[in-house]
């Protein structure tokens, strides 16, 4: 990694509305882990009224939110839907958590209203009886170590023919019944796991950074970091719940 430093721009969508359980910490983890490898990162926070130039973004991050906040956001999403779809279909990297994950799907049906989604993923969500709350452990098919996090959602998501992000080892996952958690599709990572997700799972954070760098610069290998503390914390949760 010599010469001009590599650069990434992260677009953080609507953190004033979508930012539960420290979801913003994911931006910090992405930024710091990139910076420790000499990669320049700019993170842009967008408000609902802001125009988003997707062509300038390498990672789009959408956090979780309450049903009320999702309803507020979905009106605006209708206006940016085509450009978001173009970005994601073209291999743009997206990381979406919980309410953000639901918004990537076709819809989230509440008791009396429906939150229209971006239809970037062919999934749908319906509110269920009670909430799925607690620590979650999943096993993916592309990372060696398990991924851990915390879920708290009333919605149940059904992913059809999509591949999940991982299989539930412990916890509820997408709907508490089919053993699937999240979705991994193209360069989209969508999951119910808060935590924040990336500080708790440095391997998943590096996966997302790698995808963003590969799209922009071609094949890259991130230099290793000392993640002993992070993986000790990760293992603690795995041993406790799995
Ligand atoms: N409001 C959504 C639900 O309850 C998402 C919640 C969240 O983002 N934690 O299912």
């Amino acid at each position: 990694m010599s010469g001009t430093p590599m650069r990434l721009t992260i677009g953080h969508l609507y953190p004033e509305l979508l930012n539960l359980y420290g979801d913003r910490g994911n931006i910090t983890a992405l930024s710091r882990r990139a910076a420790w490898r000499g990669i320049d990162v700019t993170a842009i926070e967008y408000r609902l009224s802001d125009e988003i130039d997707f062509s300038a973004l390498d990672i789009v991050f959408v956090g979780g939110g309450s049903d009320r906040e999702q309803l507020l956001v979905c009106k605006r999403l209708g206006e940016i839907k085509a450009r978001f779809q173009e970005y994601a279909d073209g291999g743009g990297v997206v990381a979406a958590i919980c309410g953000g994950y639901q918004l990537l799907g076709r819809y989230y049906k509440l008791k009396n209203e429906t939150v229209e989604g971006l239809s970037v993923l062919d999934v749908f969500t319906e509110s269920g009886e009670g909430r799925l709350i607690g620590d979650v452990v999943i096993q993916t098919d592309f990372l060696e170590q398990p991924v851990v996090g915390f879920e708290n959602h009333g919605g149940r998501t059904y992913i059809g023919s999509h591949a999940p992000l991982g299989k539930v080892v412990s916890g509820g996952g997408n709907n508490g019944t089919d053993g699937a958690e999240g979705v991994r599709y193209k360069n989209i990572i969508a999951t119910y796991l808060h935590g924040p997700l990336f500080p708790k799972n440095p391997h998943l954070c590096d996966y997302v950074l790698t995808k963003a760098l590969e799209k922009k610069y071609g094949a890259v290998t991130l230099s290793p970091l000392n993640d002993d503390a992070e993986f000790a914390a990760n293992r603690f949760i795995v041993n406790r719940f799995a």
Side-chain angles (χ1 to χ4, degrees):
M1 291 189 193
S2 58
T4 315
M6 293 193 280
R7 293 176 193 283
L8 290 176
T9 304
I10 304 172
H12 188 178
L13 265 59
Y14 315 133
E16 85 271 31
L17 291 166
L18 303 177
N19 181 31
L20 287 179
Y21 312 113
D23 282 341
R24 195 187 295 267
N26 292 307
I27 305 290
T28 307
L30 286 165
S31 303
R32 293 305 303 160
R33 295 184 68 80
W36 285 330
R37 274 76 171 236
I39 300 160
D40 284 348
V41 175
T42 305
I44 304 171
E45 292 193 355
Y46 293 102
R47 297 184 157 263
L48 273 190
S49 56
D50 291 343
E51 285 301 323
I52 301 173
D53 176 7
F54 282 94
S55 69
L57 301 180
D58 303 301
I59 299 173
V60 168
F61 181 82
V62 195
S66 68
D67 295 351
R68 187 190 70 83
E69 289 162 331
Q70 289 174 279
L71 278 165
L72 291 173
V73 166
C74 92
K75 291 192 183 66
R76 180 60 170 155
L77 291 185
E79 293 162 9
I80 66 165
K81 190 171 178 169
R83 283 179 294 127
F84 199 122
Q85 285 174 344
E86 191 189 353
Y87 169 85
D89 288 347
V93 175
V94 180
I97 313 289
C98 199
Y101 166 26
Q102 295 168 345
L103 289 169
L104 292 191
R106 288 194 280 124
Y107 61 83
Y108 170 26
K109 198 169 181 322
L110 301 164
K111 287 212 168 54
N112 301 315
E113 291 162 293
T114 298
V115 179
E116 295 297 335
L118 288 157
S119 298
V120 164
L121 300 175
D122 189 11
V123 311
F124 65 93
T125 303
E126 294 174 341
S127 66
E129 281 306 313
R131 301 184 68 79
L132 297 173
I133 304 174
D135 283 275
V136 182
V137 178
I138 67 171
Q139 185 61 53
T140 72
D141 63 7
F142 61 101
L143 298 169
E144 202 181 315
Q145 290 98 336
V147 169
V148 303
F150 174 79
E151 65 181 340
N152 183 354
H153 51 110
R156 283 18 175 206
T157 299
Y158 299 91
I159 66 172
S161 57
H162 274 299
L165 174 63
K167 290 191 175 130
V168 175
V169 179
S170 175
N174 282 337
N175 49 55
T177 55
D178 66 13
E181 205 300 307
V183 166
R184 183 165 70 105
Y185 172 66
K186 293 194 173 184
N187 282 334
I188 301 170
I189 294 288
T191 175
Y192 271 111
L193 303 187
H194 299 276
L197 179 69
F198 292 144
K200 281 189 168 180
N201 300 284
H203 45 334
L204 186 60
C205 188
D206 283 358
Y207 173 83
V208 168
L209 288 173
T210 301
K211 289 292 169 194
L213 291 167
E214 277 175 1
K215 176 146 197 310
K216 195 165 188 179
Y217 297 104
V220 291
T221 306
L222 287 176
S223 49
L225 298 173
N226 181 343
D227 291 323
D228 291 352
E230 288 84 347
F231 281 118
N234 183 296
R235 267 196 307 279
F236 180 85
I237 295 295
V238 172
N239 292 337
R240 186 163 166 200
F241 293 100

